[in-house]
Amino acid sequence: MNKEIETTIEDVMMTKMFSESIQLNEEESITIDSGLPEILFITSYPPRECGIATYSQDLFKALNKIFNNSFSLKVCALESGTSDNTYPDEVKHILDTTDSPKYAELANTINNDKSLRFVIVQHEFGLFQNGGENNFLQFLYSLTKPIVVVFHTVLPHPDEAFRIKVRNIAGACESIVVMTKNAAHILSDDYGVPVEKIEVIPHGTHLVQHADKEVLKAKYGLTGKKVLSTFGLLSSGKGIETTLNSLPEIIKINPDVAFLVIGKTHPGVLKREGEKYRDMLEAKVEELNLGEHVKFINSYVPLQDLLEYLQLTDIYLFTSKDPNQAVSGTFSYAMSCACPIISTPIPHAREVLSEKTGIIIDFQNSQQLADAVNHLLGDDSLRMAFSASTLQRIVPTAWENSAIAHAELLQKIARQSGFSDAGRVNITPESQQIVYRTEKLALQYRLPDINLGQMKRMTTEFAMIQFSKINQPDIESGYTLDDNARAMIAVCMHYEITQDKEDLDYIRKYLSFIKFCHQPGGNFLNYVDSEKRFTEQNYETNLADSNGRAIWALGHLISKGALLPQEFISEADEIIQQALPYIEMMHSTRSMAFAIKGLYYSNIEKRSVVRTMLITTLANRLVQMFLHESEQKWQWYESYLTYANSILPEAMLCAWLETGDLIYKKIAKASFDFLLSLTFSDSRIKVISNKCWMHRGNDAVPIVIGGEQPIDVAYTILAMSKFYSVFKEESYFDKLTTAFSWFLGNNHLHQIVYNHCTGGCYDGLEDEYVNLNQGAESTLSFLMARMTIEKHLSTHKETMMLWNEDSEASSQQAFVI
């Protein structure tokens, strides 16, 4: 490792003394039972009460949840003197930062631990007081493991001594992580830290289900109140008195205001000065006659309660008096709960707040604060707009995305440090993991549990609602045949896996809706409003695809005849039978493909010659389209690639399985392989963007970022499953798992598209953001994809291998689930 340090004579002597105290013994090592490489967090850690401790535990949990079979995470908890803290099992070491010899002992242990690969230090200068900073610096330079230091504070305009101190810390590390772009600029411009060594990973935030605000207010005795809140460990730097001084002006206009001050006094403050600051605040409340409007919640509030307090908040107030506060976890958490925010201009606020997300006021300016609060409380639509914009801006910083960013940083460091990246992706049914293993490092994205929560939340007594606002059903969007057909398929798949009797009620509901949409002429209508009336859109829009999807859903249900009640099978079969004349008249490419799939599956349980003949009719039409449009470099049915492309070759494969006609098989494989060649590259899937279809004659897929829909990824996975089942080519299985990883972060934004908290799937991946709405189409698409993966995990007898190419390196590098 190349560590450069700017020294004084005293530093040299200290380095010599410290180094001599470390006895490296190549024969000694600490054995880790898991066999996984270990990552050691050096940080304050709960039950110690401070912001960095909470941050570290949240990051630890996120990494463990997503990469629990990738590496073993351990903690070295920092203490200042002796304490009676009882730490959780993950705490492997405790370092008293006031005890100089302990640094050398810890360094010796780390260096001799052959399983330990990385050290991540959560750094705040206040953690190393009374000479501890010098001990800490020498400790860093004595380590032989790659080090990442996370700076929680970056002060601008340092004097020369402080500049050297920070540069020396940076010199000991492979990478410095900061949480804002502003902090990165300060490190580069004011301290001279090389830009390539700095990584910006925003402060993580929690995914929240966003419960009803009024219900939460009732729970906490705040019904009818306009709630202002702030939280965090209390100290004079919080500037709470700014709000108290503003409240008389606010109450004049908004007499129903309640101000919550959430959090106990900071332990360090309590130790130095007791409750002096809190006593001053309480005296001011009494002086200003604010007793009915201010509530102090003097406790370290559990996370779930804290998130509920923030969700019931109408305006969050951040009144820090420190202009150099680089980042605030409390600020981030408030944004994750979609709070409209009024803040003083700390760097974090200036970076993430805009005129669309909040209001910035001057430090300690109570009049500006009063004006801003009264303005926001008087404009409900503006607060709602702030909430939506705030959530859109903050969700990319979810702890899951933070974990991905940290894991990818470690992988990059491993590559730069000379570790081998040659590896494989393994699927192991026992661990429910799709695994990427390298010689030195593993990245494994844990498969999320199957969760029908959002699907059920979107379903009324009538059917499944079409759209949502974030994760809340938007009943005004009504219902569609498309979504309820997909819902019936998804629940049938779930029932096949779980035998959950509750699924039958949902299958019955979705089947009834399909029957409701079925018309006397055999066709189906698609759009139904919230009052259960067919809308004019049914007569203004081409409904061919919707009709095809209905046939697919009905056929899928019929194919589960051995599992489902006979009444379901009979009803679905009757609807298809009545629809046969209409199906024969189909000529739209995708409607024919959906119908072929439905007819094929309906014939699995009880073969019908009429339906086989109809499959042949529709498949022959697709053959003629293929022969007319295809050429050597364009093996496709149309002169362009649009949406739901995978359904076409899958339908042709079903036609071959039903009829045995080899032309269907040949065209199915040629067209599917052609499609895959255009949508898979660099260990990733990128489906055709809905912003720009791909037309024949282009030499390559247009470079269009964004416009990727979950449904297209899901259709690819469904088709891949079918092709793998038929041809047993491992490349299909490899691509199936790679495609699913798109939902978990293997996309151009490196962000999750699936929300494990709600069970919903975001509506799309755009160029710079994820569409946070979790509507029926996207949520059902994820569920169908997830249960397809589940089917293969349960049936695979041997571990499957996948090699992928890392686009950033000549070595092999794979993505894992």
Side-chain angles (χ1 to χ4, degrees):
M1 296 172 62
N2 181 21
K3 299 181 178 180
E4 299 179 356
I5 184 169
E6 300 174 35
T7 63
T8 64
I9 293 176
E10 289 78 12
D11 290 330
V12 173
M13 294 301 295
M14 185 172 290
T15 301
K16 184 176 186 296
M17 293 166 58
F18 193 91
S19 298
E20 287 174 352
S21 70
I22 298 175
Q23 303 298 319
L24 298 181
N25 186 342
E26 294 299 334
E27 300 303 318
E28 296 178 6
S29 66
I30 299 172
T31 301
I32 305 298
D33 291 339
S34 68
L36 297 172
E38 184 177 298
I39 299 171
L40 181 68
F41 279 45
I42 299 179
T43 178
S44 59
Y45 203 73
R48 183 172 177 178
E49 295 173 345
C50 73
I52 292 179
T54 303
Y55 171 95
S56 298
Q57 188 176 60
D58 286 337
L59 177 58
F60 185 100
K61 288 180 177 179
L63 282 164
N64 230 11
K65 181 173 68 176
I66 298 177
F67 301 107
N68 68 320
N69 219 26
S70 301
F71 28 65
S72 173
L73 297 171
K74 298 295 179 182
V75 175
C76 171
L78 298 177
E79 289 283 4
S80 180
T82 59
S83 80
D84 57 358
N85 286 332
T86 301
Y87 285 102
D89 292 342
E90 62 261 27
V91 175
K92 184 177 181 179
H93 309 289
I94 298 174
L95 175 63
D96 179 357
T97 59
T98 66
D99 190 343
S100 297
K102 295 298 183 183
Y103 288 87
E105 292 177 16
L106 178 61
N108 192 59
T109 300
I110 290 173
N111 289 338
N112 285 323
D113 188 340
K114 301 244 178 125
S115 294
L116 201 158
R117 300 299 180 196
F118 299 96
V119 175
I120 300 178
V121 181
Q122 304 294 335
H123 182 273
E124 177 67 68
F125 285 100
L127 294 174
F128 304 94
Q129 296 179 346
N130 302 321
E133 194 65 45
N134 286 331
N135 290 327
F136 169 69
L137 183 61
Q138 305 309 321
F139 165 76
L140 289 183
Y141 275 86
S142 69
L143 294 180
T144 60
K145 310 291 184 177
I147 304 168
V148 174
V149 170
V150 182
F151 275 140
H152 287 256
T153 296
V154 181
L155 298 175
H157 315 302
D159 60 27
E160 186 60 19
F162 194 76
R163 176 180 171 276
I164 289 175
K165 184 181 294 187
V166 171
R167 281 177 57 86
N168 283 340
I169 293 174
C173 308
E174 274 59 42
S175 183
I176 296 287
V177 172
V178 293
M179 301 178 200
T180 64
K181 294 176 183 176
N182 178 72
H185 290 313
I186 293 172
L187 272 184
S188 175
D189 298 343
D190 292 5
Y191 293 89
V193 177
V195 173
E196 60 272 15
K197 183 171 274 195
I198 304 169
E199 293 284 337
V200 177
I201 302 178
H203 193 295
T205 54
H206 293 279
L207 294 174
V208 179
Q209 286 204 28
H210 299 285
D212 184 272
K213 187 185 291 286
E214 298 309 316
V215 171
L216 291 176
K217 285 184 178 181
K219 176 179 177 179
Y220 290 96
L222 293 165
T223 299
K225 298 293 186 181
K226 295 177 181 176
V227 179
L228 314 177
S229 76
T230 191
F231 88 93
L233 293 171
L234 201 61
S235 69
S236 60
K238 297 289 185 182
I240 306 299
E241 63 274 16
T242 302
T243 301
L244 297 183
N245 289 330
S246 72
L247 279 176
E249 286 293 316
I250 295 171
I251 293 167
K252 286 179 184 178
I253 299 175
N254 296 282
D256 51 355
V257 154
F259 176 44
L260 308 182
V261 183
I262 307 167
K264 65 190 297 184
T265 300
H266 194 291
V269 173
L270 198 61
K271 186 176 181 179
R272 290 193 306 271
E273 59 186 51
E275 292 285 14
K276 178 181 176 181
Y277 181 61
R278 185 182 296 274
D279 292 343
M280 182 275 287
L281 295 176
E282 290 177 345
K284 185 172 283 292
V285 168
E286 185 174 349
E287 173 193 341
L288 297 175
N289 195 27
L290 299 174
E292 294 183 3
H293 299 276
V294 178
K295 181 179 181 180
F296 290 93
I297 302 171
N298 186 6
S299 62
Y300 198 77
V301 180
L303 176 63
Q304 188 58 42
D305 291 352
L306 173 61
L307 295 177
E308 289 185 348
Y309 273 122
L310 292 174
Q311 288 178 78
L312 65 80
T313 294
D314 292 293
I315 304 175
Y316 184 79
L317 306 178
F318 186 84
T319 52
S320 169
K321 296 191 292 187
D322 182 2
N324 294 321
Q325 184 173 353
V327 69
S328 168
T330 65
F331 186 94
S332 297
Y333 282 26
M335 292 189 75
S336 74
C337 292
C339 294
I341 296 176
I342 299 174
S343 174
T344 50
I346 68 165
H348 191 186
R350 294 200 308 269
E351 189 163 307
V352 301
L353 289 185
S354 68
E355 61 182 16
K356 294 181 179 180
T357 57
I359 297 174
I360 293 179
I361 61 170
D362 293 335
F363 291 105
Q364 297 178 275
N365 194 318
S366 295
Q367 186 59 55
Q368 285 186 7
L369 179 57
D371 292 343
V373 168
N374 284 330
H375 175 58
L376 270 182
L377 289 181
D379 192 336
D380 292 347
S381 61
L382 181 59
R383 289 203 315 280
M384 290 178 62
F386 275 13
S387 293
S389 297
T390 295
L391 195 60
Q392 183 68 65
R393 193 173 184 91
I394 204 67
V395 161
T397 68
W399 280 116
E400 289 77 5
N401 292 329
S402 180
I404 292 170
H406 279 85
E408 290 182 346
L409 173 60
L410 295 180
Q411 193 172 61
K412 182 175 76 171
I413 292 171
R415 184 166 60 243
Q416 293 171 345
S417 299
F419 292 174
S420 170
D421 271 331
R424 298 169 182 174
V425 172
N426 305 339
I427 287 204
T428 55
E430 296 77 17
S431 63
Q432 295 288 284
Q433 305 273 345
I434 302 176
V435 180
Y436 165 51
R437 294 200 176 279
T438 69
E439 191 174 315
K440 296 292 185 181
L441 184 65
L443 282 187
Q444 308 174 93
Y445 280 57
R446 181 181 178 275
L447 285 170
D449 295 335
I450 298 172
N451 180 359
L452 303 187
Q454 180 68 355
M455 184 202 78
K456 292 180 178 181
R457 194 177 299 112
M458 295 281 289
T459 300
T460 68
E461 83 292 341
F462 179 54
M464 189 171 185
I465 297 168
Q466 182 177 192
F467 296 140
S468 73
K469 296 177 179 178
I470 308 301
N471 69 311
Q472 297 301 309
D474 179 11
I475 186 62
E476 294 306 313
S477 67
Y479 310 88
T480 68
L481 173 67
D482 285 332
D483 292 327
N484 285 272
R486 284 186 282 258
M488 192 168 76
I489 293 170
V491 183
C492 285
M493 294 173 74
H494 188 259
Y495 185 72
E496 186 176 12
I497 294 169
T498 67
Q499 306 292 296
D500 185 347
K501 297 299 183 183
E502 187 180 351
D503 290 344
L504 298 177
D505 292 334
Y506 285 91
I507 294 172
R508 180 180 290 107
K509 191 173 297 186
Y510 303 138
L511 177 58
S512 295
F513 184 83
I514 293 173
K515 185 176 182 180
F516 176 83
C517 294
H518 190 217
Q519 301 299 296
N523 64 307
F524 300 83
L525 298 182
N526 187 42
Y527 301 101
V528 180
D529 67 18
S530 60
E531 301 299 320
K532 306 179 184 179
R533 299 169 302 199
F534 291 112
T535 71
E536 288 301 312
Q537 195 173 356
N538 287 293
Y539 311 103
E540 301 166 353
T541 308
N542 188 328
L543 302 183
D545 287 2
S546 303
N547 279 255
R549 287 189 191 93
I551 300 303
W552 171 31
L554 293 165
H556 184 91
L557 184 148
I558 293 169
S559 73
K560 308 303 176 187
L563 290 173
L564 297 174
Q566 186 57 43
E567 61 182 284
F568 291 0
I569 309 304
S570 298
E571 190 168 355
D573 192 70
E574 182 181 349
I575 296 173
I576 283 188
Q577 193 64 32
Q578 293 174 8
L580 291 179
Y582 177 80
I583 296 172
E584 188 174 8
M585 295 186 294
M586 287 181 172
H587 285 82
S588 171
T589 313
R590 283 155 186 77
S591 65
M592 291 191 293
F594 283 122
I596 288 171
K597 283 186 64 176
L599 294 169
Y600 162 74
Y601 282 109
S602 74
N603 258 10
I604 288 177
E605 285 292 307
K606 183 179 178 181
R607 192 174 181 84
S608 161
V609 175
V610 172
R611 294 180 190 182
T612 300
M613 293 174 60
L614 191 48
I615 288 172
T616 302
T617 297
L618 299 179
N620 284 341
R621 290 173 187 167
L622 290 178
V623 168
Q624 291 304 311
M625 295 177 70
F626 182 86
L627 295 176
H628 182 266
E629 297 292 346
S630 66
E631 49 192 52
Q632 185 175 359
K633 294 184 177 181
W634 187 264
Q635 299 286 297
W636 200 244
Y637 309 82
E638 300 162 313
S639 62
Y640 43 78
L641 289 166
T642 57
Y643 64 95
N645 297 301
S646 297
I647 194 72
L648 304 182
E650 184 187 4
M652 292 303 292
L653 187 61
C654 290
W656 170 67
L657 291 171
E658 176 66 22
T659 68
D661 193 329
L662 289 177
I663 187 66
Y664 302 157
K665 178 183 180 183
K666 180 179 178 181
I667 290 176
K669 194 167 193 320
S671 59
F672 194 52
D673 290 348
F674 167 74
L675 177 64
L676 298 184
S677 73
L678 297 175
T679 51
F680 281 84
S681 63
D682 298 332
S683 307
R684 184 179 299 164
I685 185 174
K686 184 188 181 304
V687 293
I688 303 300
S689 171
N690 65 7
K691 292 181 178 181
C692 180
W693 303 138
M694 182 183 179
H695 291 266
R696 182 176 54 200
N698 292 0
D699 294 328
V701 178
I703 304 175
V704 177
I705 304 300
E708 295 180 64
Q709 303 297 304
I711 192 168
D712 283 316
V713 179
Y715 281 156
T716 301
I717 289 171
L718 293 175
M720 203 84 69
S721 173
K722 195 68 177 178
F723 274 80
Y724 174 71
S725 298
V726 171
F727 292 102
K728 305 299 181 185
E729 292 184 11
E730 298 305 331
S731 63
Y732 289 140
F733 190 84
D734 296 346
K735 287 183 172 63
L736 183 150
T737 58
T738 299
F740 188 76
S741 70
W742 181 90
F743 292 102
L744 304 183
N746 187 20
N747 49 62
H748 74 271
L749 290 181
H750 305 279
Q751 292 182 23
I752 55 171
V753 183
Y754 170 69
N755 186 319
H756 76 92
C757 180
T758 64
C761 181
Y762 298 134
D763 277 354
L765 190 71
E766 301 303 334
D767 51 351
E768 296 181 350
Y769 66 94
V770 176
N771 183 333
L772 299 183
N773 295 324
Q774 299 161 48
E777 177 183 295
S778 54
T779 295
L780 294 168
S781 295
F782 173 82
L783 286 173
M784 288 189 289
R786 175 65 183 87
M787 286 184 283
T788 299
I789 292 288
E790 189 74 13
K791 180 184 73 172
H792 285 284
L793 286 174
S794 62
T795 58
H796 248 62
K797 302 301 182 183
E798 298 179 356
T799 298
M800 309 307 299
M801 308 291 186
L802 166 63
W803 290 83
N804 282 333
E805 185 84 8
D806 180 359
S807 61
E808 297 181 358
S810 58
S811 60
Q812 296 278 350
Q813 201 257 341
F815 188 86
V816 302
I817 305 172

